[in-house]
Amino acid sequence: MSYFDAASAAPLHPVARQALLASLDEGWADPARLYKEGRRARLLLDAAREAAAEAVGCRPDELVFTPSGTAAVHSGIAGALAGRRRTGRHLIVSAVEHSSVLHTAEVHRDGGGTVTEVPVDRTGAVRPAEFAEALRPDTALACLQSANHEVGTLQPVAEAAGACRAAGVPLLVDAAQSLGWGPVEGDWSLLAASAHKWGGPSGVGLLVVRKGVRFAPQGPRDERESGRAPGFENLPAIVAAAASLRAVRAEAAQEAARLRELTERIRARVPALVPDVEVVGDPERRLPGVVTFSCLYVDGETVLHELDRAGFSVSSGSSCTSSTLTPSHVLRAMGVLSEGNVRVSLPPGTTEEDVERFLAVLPGVVAGVREKLGAPVSRTETVTEERDEALVVDALGRRCPIPVIELAKVIGDVPVGGLVRVLADDEAARLDIPAWCEMRGQEYVGEQPADRGAAYVVRRLS
Amino acid sequence: MSYFDAASAAPLHPVARQALLASLDEGWADPARLYKEGRRARLLLDAAREAAAEAVGCRPDELVFTPSGTAAVHSGIAGALAGRRRTGRHLIVSAVEHSSVLHTAEVHRDGGGTVTEVPVDRTGAVRPAEFAEALRPDTALACLQSANHEVGTLQPVAEAAGACRAAGVPLLVDAAQSLGWGPVEGDWSLLAASAHKWGGPSGVGLLVVRKGVRFAPQGPRDERESGRAPGFENLPAIVAAAASLRAVRAEAAQEAARLRELTERIRARVPALVPDVEVVGDPERRLPGVVTFSCLYVDGETVLHELDRAGFSVSSGSSCTSSTLTPSHVLRAMGVLSEGNVRVSLPPGTTEEDVERFLAVLPGVVAGVREKLGAPVSRTETVTEERDEALVVDALGRRCPIPVIELAKVIGDVPVGGLVRVLADDEAARLDIPAWCEMRGQEYVGEQPADRGAAYVVRRLS
């Protein structure tokens, strides 16, 4: 088996395992107690905090341990917004933040706050000037991830932090995807991260609040972790989290270079091996181990299933793989194809052989899925007769990628300059039909209301 | 070392340790993913949920794992209150609930809700009739612990649940202290618990919401754990929590009988070995391993420190051991002495020898502390002269137990029927001076305002 989904959860680092085992006997008591077992637990907690703070680049008293990265984001945003409530209730987020950030923004909006979602370019990055322009006199907080979790694109955090600092607005950085690779650059104010992303155990997140940042913890009072993370400390796991962060950092430079070379191979060779593929995300400013591509005319769920059968564990931002049947908000914000989406995120230690085997297996998997779905093998150049002004493709009730497959099947029948209307009610079509047009050099005219779903109008250009 | 603070955190049960180790390799991946590692993690999570549900006595789909018992209480109360907001905003809690419950009640009150705190008797138990009387047409939720964490007294949960059920009000039971000993009796609606109290790892709590109970999770949306516990599941720890709950249950009946005999010894012999001691909590309806007593004329912090030096780890509800310098709200609600408070909570496996050694050491420790503080050795019967109507003891600026020691020193100088006024600004005096009067057969007349602190007036009766 090759596990290629490190961006979801990395396997436990050997140092995390050792530290966890070593602290099970010393770290179970309440660190708030004054007796021997409590003092031992307190020493472990203090040492873990110092180690984590050193890796983050902050003071130990600025860092608390939370039960998860999600909890760190929830508490960090809520506390910072409440701390600056007098300034205003405006929150800035990028459109491609992790769902934990966007869901916290939703709660803020539902509670009467205002939220600006800064769009991203086609690589998934915010433009620093656009991020800065979103700042207003009533902005309480801005949030920007250090790197995107679905496509690996690095965000211009240092520039954003500079603009925020100039405006007197704190910037919260969700560093979940990058903290194992190095400290977050720039003059940020708050930071959230998650240990199981860097090979630490689950059950541990980090929340850093720089001295001087106004912060009012929300929810019921609790004395633990400076009042910022209620509940008994998850101690042996905290020790393991801090120890493994140090360990992955020690290996980071070398491992980053190695993984970057491997993902570069995938970036370069997948489009050559598999027809009708779009590799997404920034080719340069990106995480070392992440590469994401979308394949026309296949559904992500079947691809994932077939790759799993072939021994590869990957994830997908396609709508057919999500419980809500909507495509990834990240791919949507980037305006790229979401169907047949595959994210490969290599854990440290991935071998060249694993990657070569993946590249050997992928073309057959995609071809097999396409064949089953009856996707067009290549662009047909049929002689076109005169037809009605707009050909109609009825894909109502059909899930992704069928609407795009049906469109591709008929486009050859449309006279150049002619229109085709695709009726579809799968939410993914709204994203994937324009993306297909862009990939295929056809014109996406727009969306029209329809009795059911919507009609997506395409003009044949070539 | 003898660790006698199991009510704070129990040492890791051997089964928890084994289950944790066994699942580190299988349980690190995201259980929401469809590939092999994800499916394995899902199997572990499902099996843990079934095991925990069986031990609780609920359906697996009624139980979610939270990051701590505190998180379970916070989410459970907030979700139940929101789910029944149309009914009203009245919340009932007992006065001796865990701080996580009372702090959630505070937030509710701050948000415009109303809260009734049902008082307890001198043993620490609510009276079922009084609890039932607190129910109103606008009551959204009632909360009652299964057993008190400081004095071990069992609460009449079944009766309270019956009254709530009759009124159509859900009852949330904080079962943190008792779940390892057995399922919670009665027809309750919600239940919260914490794994590290039964010998499971830290980082795992349980929240049970019975089918049919209106529940609206608060905070940002998250798909994990039925939307009731955001963040990546703390999986190997969850497996260890469930496994150890089964294991401690298998040993519960035998271990309860053994520990009950040991705590009975402490209950019976401490008052005989140490003068001026009050054993608190219900002598019969109580947890097997918990016994709590308060010693006049000593401060809890020094006693804890001296016991720690002698190899015993215990905790205290005395104000001098809390960061807020206020005595335990539990002891206050019971109206019992808080000074020199010692809670002994025996973990399973505690030996008779440990307890005998504790009984051998305790009298010397208390006597030593009293001697240092200049406490009265015995009640002096001096011939009283005529004095001013009220003798004044100035204990301003002095911390517990000095005000009570000073009172005890002069009481012999007061003519029978005469008054003494104790000036004190330590919050503990408000509780401890009346408690001392009750223990000593003197009359506590009441509290008078003073320039600084308060004046506590005592009449000598004997």
Side-chain angles (χ1 to χ4, degrees), chain A residues 1-3 5 8-12 17 20-21 24-25 27-30 33-37 39 67-68 70-71 74 99-100 103-104 106-107 196 201-203 219-223 230-237 301 304 308 312-316 321 323-324 343, chain B residues 1-3 5 8-12 17 20-21 24-25 27-30 33-37 39 67-68 70-71 74 99-100 103-104 106-107 196 201-203 219-223 230-237 301 304 308 312-316 321 323-324 343:
Chain A
M1 284 299 290
S2 294
Y3 178 78
D5 197 24
S8 285
L12 204 61
R17 192 188 175 91
L20 188 65
L21 297 193
L24 283 179
D25 293 330
W28 52 269
D30 185 345
R33 300 288 176 184
L34 302 175
Y35 44 68
K36 185 177 148 199
E37 295 86 352
R39 294 195 307 270
S68 63
T70 294
H74 290 179
S99 58
S100 59
H103 290 163
T104 313
E106 257 171 43
V107 169
H196 75 98
S202 53
R221 276 195 296 135
D222 194 279
E223 291 186 359
F232 195 84
E233 291 90 347
N234 188 12
L235 195 46
E301 189 171 3
L304 257 53
D308 178 46
F312 295 96
S313 302
V314 299
S315 75
S316 170
T321 60
S323 62
T324 54
R343 175 185 68 184
Chain B
M1 286 297 292
S2 294
Y3 177 77
D5 197 24
S8 286
L12 205 59
R17 192 188 174 94
L20 188 65
L21 297 192
L24 283 180
D25 293 330
W28 52 269
D30 184 346
R33 300 289 177 185
L34 301 175
Y35 44 68
K36 186 178 146 199
E37 294 85 352
R39 295 195 305 271
S68 62
T70 294
H74 290 179
S99 58
S100 60
H103 290 162
T104 313
E106 255 170 43
V107 169
H196 75 98
S202 53
R221 275 195 297 136
D222 193 280
E223 291 187 359
F232 196 85
E233 291 90 347
N234 189 11
L235 196 45
E301 191 171 1
L304 256 53
D308 178 46
F312 295 96
S313 302
V314 299
S315 75
S316 170
T321 61
S323 62
T324 53
R343 175 185 69 184

Side-chain angles (χ1 to χ4, degrees), chain B residues 74-96:
Chain B
H74 290 179
S75 310
I77 296 178
L81 286 173
R84 285 180 43 89
R85 189 157 174 165
R86 285 190 194 168
T87 301
R89 303 197 63 198
H90 178 234
L91 170 67
I92 298 170
V93 298
S94 90
V96 296

Side-chain angles (χ1 to χ4, degrees), chain A residues 21 116 187 209 237 261 329 335 365 395 404 461:
Chain A
L21 297 193
T116 298
D187 196 9
V209 181
E261 196 277 319
H329 69 275
V365 162
V404 175
L461 296 185

Side-chain angles (χ1 to χ4, degrees), chain B residues 1-285:
Chain B
M1 286 297 292
S2 294
Y3 177 77
F4 284 180
D5 197 24
S8 286
L12 205 59
H13 192 281
V15 167
R17 192 188 174 94
Q18 285 160 23
L20 188 65
L21 297 192
S23 56
L24 283 180
D25 293 330
E26 302 266 300
W28 52 269
D30 184 346
R33 300 289 177 185
L34 301 175
Y35 44 68
K36 186 178 146 199
E37 294 85 352
R39 295 195 305 271
R40 283 199 306 219
R42 167 63 56 187
L43 285 176
L44 288 175
L45 181 58
D46 289 347
R49 197 185 313 279
E50 279 181 31
E54 198 192 332
V56 168
C58 68
R59 292 165 41 157
D61 60 355
E62 294 174 331
L63 182 149
V64 300
F65 293 105
T66 65
S68 62
T70 294
V73 162
H74 290 179
S75 310
I77 296 178
L81 286 173
R84 285 180 43 89
R85 189 157 174 165
R86 285 190 194 168
T87 301
R89 303 197 63 198
H90 178 234
L91 170 67
I92 298 170
V93 298
S94 90
V96 296
E97 295 298 307
H98 187 263
S99 58
S100 60
V101 173
L102 296 180
H103 290 162
T104 313
E106 255 170 43
V107 169
H108 181 62
R109 196 186 275 120
D110 291 347
T114 53
V115 179
T116 299
E117 270 195 19
V118 180
V120 295
D121 62 23
R122 233 182 124 78
T123 72
V126 298
R127 295 171 192 90
E130 210 166 350
F131 199 83
E133 277 162 25
L135 290 161
R136 308 194 315 211
D138 66 335
T139 304
L141 178 69
C143 301
L144 183 62
Q145 62 195 185
S146 55
N148 185 266
H149 49 296
E150 289 194 30
V151 299
T153 299
L154 303 183
Q155 300 293 351
V157 169
E159 293 93 318
C164 288
R165 186 64 63 173
V169 171
L171 178 72
L172 182 147
V173 179
D174 170 11
Q177 290 295 330
S178 77
L179 198 66
W181 296 112
V184 174
E185 52 179 359
D187 196 9
W188 47 267
S189 295
L190 300 102
L191 180 144
S194 174
H196 75 98
K197 304 285 191 193
W198 69 64
S202 53
V204 182
L206 302 182
L207 172 62
V208 180
V209 182
R210 292 277 197 203
K211 287 285 149 197
V213 174
R214 284 182 189 278
F215 194 84
Q218 297 301 287
R221 275 195 297 136
D222 193 280
E223 291 187 359
R224 296 182 189 273
E225 293 298 288
S226 311
R228 292 173 185 171
F232 196 85
E233 291 90 347
N234 189 11
L235 196 45
I238 286 174
V239 172
S244 55
L245 182 54
R246 287 172 81 112
V248 297
R249 280 294 186 78
E251 304 153 356
Q254 200 181 343
E255 196 60 29
R258 223 177 54 76
L259 292 186
R260 180 170 283 275
E261 195 276 322
L262 293 177
T263 48
E264 194 50 54
R265 277 192 211 193
I266 298 173
R267 289 191 72 88
R269 284 171 51 197
V270 162
L273 292 167
V274 181
D276 299 325
V277 157
E278 181 176 17
V279 178
V280 298
D282 195 296
E284 293 301 324
R285 284 185 46 85

Side-chain angles (χ1 to χ4, degrees), chain A residues 59-75:
Chain A
R59 293 165 39 158
D61 59 355
E62 294 174 331
L63 183 150
V64 300
F65 294 105
T66 66
S68 63
T70 294
V73 163
H74 290 179
S75 310

